Amino acid sequence: MAKKSTQQSTQPISADAVRDALRAGEGFDLSAVDPSSTPAFDGDKAAAEALLPALADEASDLQERLYAQSKSGSNRKILLVIQGMDTAGKGGIMRHVVGAMDPQGSEITAFKAPTKEELAHHFLWRIRKALPEAGKIGVFDRSHYEDVLIVRVRGLVPQEEWEGRYAQINDFEQEVADDDTTIIKIMLHISSQEQKDRLMERLDRPDKHWKFNPGDIDERQEWDDYMAAYEAAVQRCSTPVAPWYVVPADRKWYARLAVMNILLAHLRDLDLQWPEAQFDVEEQKARLAAT
Amino acid sequence: MAKKSTQQSTQPISADAVRDALRAGEGFDLSAVDPSSTPAFDGDKAAAEALLPALADEASDLQERLYAQSKSGSNRKILLVIQGMDTAGKGGIMRHVVGAMDPQGSEITAFKAPTKEELAHHFLWRIRKALPEAGKIGVFDRSHYEDVLIVRVRGLVPQEEWEGRYAQINDFEQEVADDDTTIIKIMLHISSQEQKDRLMERLDRPDKHWKFNPGDIDERQEWDDYMAAYEAAVQRCSTPVAPWYVVPADRKWYARLAVMNILLAHLRDLDLQWPEAQFDVEEQKARLAAT
């Protein structure tokens, strides 16, 4: 890690270092993650916010190349899954990370409680329908993981059913990855106290009341069970083709910076070049000049 | 119109004045619109770009209220239709106007040449499927108007068929408006010379080649027919519930500022308030405090 600098507004950050620091998998211990920590970054809030615009510009540029390549036959796409407890900052990631890129390049799907029609199908049915097309970054605000999170905690299906879902999810994600999809799964990890503070803020502010639901407190009362369910999902479904990243999220500015860097690290790995013209450029210039 | 000011970075703009200046309808004469003009705005590029962030913040705030109201049962939504010739700046509107707002509040649908499945249905079938849900701003990048633009110019269906579509579109839009949809239709109007320059730039820059298609020059050769088709669409389908706005677009900065202002004028008219809490706030605070 870099030494603390007095010039924090130019505090550097390594996308690879963030990605390596936050990747989680087999044997993962959620209780060992401090939600207020800032792994692989020594800067403060101002430094993080100063870094974001240039990183967003780079991500936007790489996303446009990804899209351009799809016009020349590439099937590559990205699936970014965002999970977290209520108030963990999913909306902020949508607004400040996804929203910092060209909106034409990404598609956000917010998964709510399933509808009757969705419940009449396999739990992956609605997920498959929302997978991104070639050239796009698909972003899931909640996802199929709800089917081993709230469903497990609330016992919405028998244990033998949700137990089987971890393997089904791994098979599904392997299939998605085989279809040229780069899968990135993010858990925004906040502390119970931070959630309490954020819920209280929603209750204190009339412009935030619409975001509050009395049921949020019911869910909060199952905090330990949710943490166990998250830990199990990370342990059992972090695979080489679809790794989990657990992002400390008590500091919103760190979570946004971290998710942007994890996304960037994956985009850079794709070595995205502008596609070659599939026509004779000089010939078309002459045609155009004659109009 | 305001007098030219030396303090152009604070050049004011009236959303209502922009909307009034650009609304077009019966008897509309497209040839009378100067694509390089900047109606209802006396500032320059720097002034326009300086205005945009605050306007985008206001639009974002109003959009969030629109969404919040949908959680309390409001069915109101907005449909923003963007049409224009190739290179008219549709992508720039998506990036700089739509992209300046929270991505969770809007949904962009880009209509390409219809698929076989789409062609097997009525031309409005794919349009209906993409209509925004309550609380959202749906943005159409091209739209059902292609069915009286390229379809008319290229004779893709017999004249009696496309002639009937103007009335069908008006009926359809009336139905959409009756479903609590605020409809805003934008034509980005560039000059033929400006298109030539922008297409040449795409040919000059290897990072823009992917945006160019030799067919673009074929379409360009039908310029006058396209202008006639646009004029007819504006004349025949600008209705009180679904007006057309013709935006001079040779100056990209003006087109972006104008579209943002037209959108804002409509959002302001909705008088969007934060919804009342549908629970007892103090009771919930006590419940939360006890956790």
Side-chain angles (χ1 to χ4, degrees), chain B residues 50-67:
Chain B
L51 284 169
L52 214 50
L55 298 173
D57 284 350
E58 185 188 349
S60 233
D61 175 71
L62 293 175
Q63 193 287 317
E64 191 176 3
R65 291 167 188 245
L66 181 73
Y67 183 73

Side-chain angles (χ1 to χ4, degrees), chain B residues 82-86 90 109 111 140-144 146:
Chain B
I82 308 289
Q83 284 285 161
M85 297 293 285
D86 279 334
K90 297 185 293 294
T109 306
F111 290 98
F140 285 180
D141 176 354
R142 304 185 185 271
S143 67
H144 44 300
E146 293 297 323

Side-chain angles (χ1 to χ4, degrees), chain A residues 206-259:
Chain A
D207 63 330
K208 298 288 180 193
H209 285 166
W210 69 275
K211 288 190 172 186
F212 182 88
N213 186 310
D216 297 346
I217 299 178
D218 302 329
E219 295 309 308
R220 173 171 169 72
Q221 280 160 343
E222 311 299 328
W223 186 270
D224 291 346
D225 283 357
Y226 272 107
M227 292 305 106
Y230 266 103
E231 189 177 69
V234 172
Q235 287 172 346
R236 297 171 72 171
C237 298
S238 199
T239 60
V241 298
W244 268 107
Y245 299 92
V246 177
V247 176
D250 274 7
R251 301 170 197 251
K252 290 177 180 176
W253 53 266
Y254 175 74
R256 293 166 190 172
L257 183 67
V259 174

Side-chain angles (χ1 to χ4, degrees), chain A:
Chain A
M1 285 219 284
K3 286 245 174 89
K4 256 211 160 81
S5 155
T6 49
Q7 285 201 305
Q8 295 207 324
S9 66
T10 53
Q11 186 71 30
I13 190 164
S14 156
D16 281 337
V18 173
R19 176 167 60 172
D20 290 347
L22 303 182
R23 192 186 288 116
E26 218 178 321
F28 170 67
D29 177 6
L30 182 56
S31 69
V33 177
D34 176 359
S36 67
S37 62
T38 63
F41 185 62
D42 266 4
D44 59 8
K45 180 179 179 179
E49 291 179 346
L51 283 169
L52 215 49
L55 298 172
D57 284 349
E58 185 187 348
S60 234
D61 173 71
L62 293 175
Q63 192 287 317
E64 191 176 4
R65 291 168 188 244
L66 181 72
Y67 184 72
Q69 289 197 342
S70 77
K71 297 288 153 193
S72 299
S74 165
N75 189 38
R76 177 61 51 186
K77 63 275 268 183
I78 290 177
L79 175 61
L80 178 64
V81 173
I82 308 289
Q83 284 284 162
M85 298 293 285
D86 279 335
T87 76
K90 297 184 292 294
I93 295 295
M94 299 305 150
R95 190 188 278 249
H96 297 283
V97 178
V98 181
M101 297 184 290
D102 188 329
Q104 299 170 97
S106 55
E107 313 174 316
I108 297 173
T109 306
F111 291 98
K112 314 282 165 105
T115 63
K116 272 190 186 177
E117 186 189 21
E118 288 168 349
L119 284 171
H121 290 273
H122 188 272
F123 76 98
L124 292 172
W125 178 75
R126 64 174 183 163
I127 307 297
R128 285 182 196 279
K129 290 206 301 177
L131 289 171
E133 56 195 44
K136 291 286 183 80
I137 300 178
V139 185
F140 284 0
D141 175 355
R142 303 185 186 271
S143 67
H144 44 301
Y145 282 96
E146 293 297 323
D147 294 284
V148 290
L149 291 168
I150 188 171
V151 166
R152 167 176 159 155
V153 170
R154 290 287 170 189
L156 302 182
V157 303
Q159 178 165 1
E160 72 231 41
E161 191 168 336
W162 58 254
E163 279 284 2
R165 289 182 174 175
Y166 297 100
Q168 289 178 49
I169 286 174
N170 287 339
D171 288 348
F172 165 68
E173 291 180 350
Q174 179 68 56
E175 179 192 316
V176 172
D178 288 346
D179 189 34
D180 299 337
T181 308
T182 300
I183 304 175
I184 306 166
K185 299 182 301 197
I186 304 285
M187 174 193 177
L188 298 174
H189 182 41
I190 55 170
S191 64
S192 172
Q193 181 60 46
E194 180 70 18
Q195 188 194 52
K196 188 173 183 172
D197 295 345
R198 292 184 187 179
L199 285 174
M200 198 59 88
E201 193 193 355
R202 289 186 181 175
L203 286 169
D204 279 335
R205 290 178 53 177
D207 63 330
K208 298 288 180 193
H209 285 166
W210 69 275
K211 288 190 172 186
F212 182 88
N213 186 310
D216 297 346
I217 299 178
D218 302 329
E219 295 309 308
R220 173 171 169 72
Q221 280 160 343
E222 311 299 328
W223 186 270
D224 291 346
D225 283 357
Y226 272 107
M227 292 305 106
Y230 266 103
E231 189 177 69
V234 172
Q235 287 172 346
R236 297 171 72 171
C237 298
S238 199
T239 60
V241 298
W244 268 107
Y245 299 92
V246 177
V247 176
D250 274 7
R251 301 170 197 251
K252 290 177 180 176
W253 53 266
Y254 175 74
R256 293 166 190 172
L257 183 67
V259 174
M260 178 63 87
N261 273 281
I262 293 168
L263 176 61
L264 255 183
H266 284 88
L267 281 167
R268 287 175 183 158
D269 280 358
L270 295 176
D271 189 25
L272 296 158
Q273 305 301 323
W274 295 110
E276 293 282 313
Q278 293 175 323
F279 49 82
D280 182 322
V281 175
E282 293 310 317
E283 181 187 321
Q284 296 301 324
K285 281 189 187 176
R287 279 187 74 211
L288 178 59
T291 65

Side-chain angles (χ1 to χ4, degrees), chain B residues 233-248:
Chain B
V234 172
Q235 287 172 345
R236 298 172 72 170
C237 298
S238 199
T239 60
V241 299
W244 268 109
Y245 299 93
V246 177
V247 176

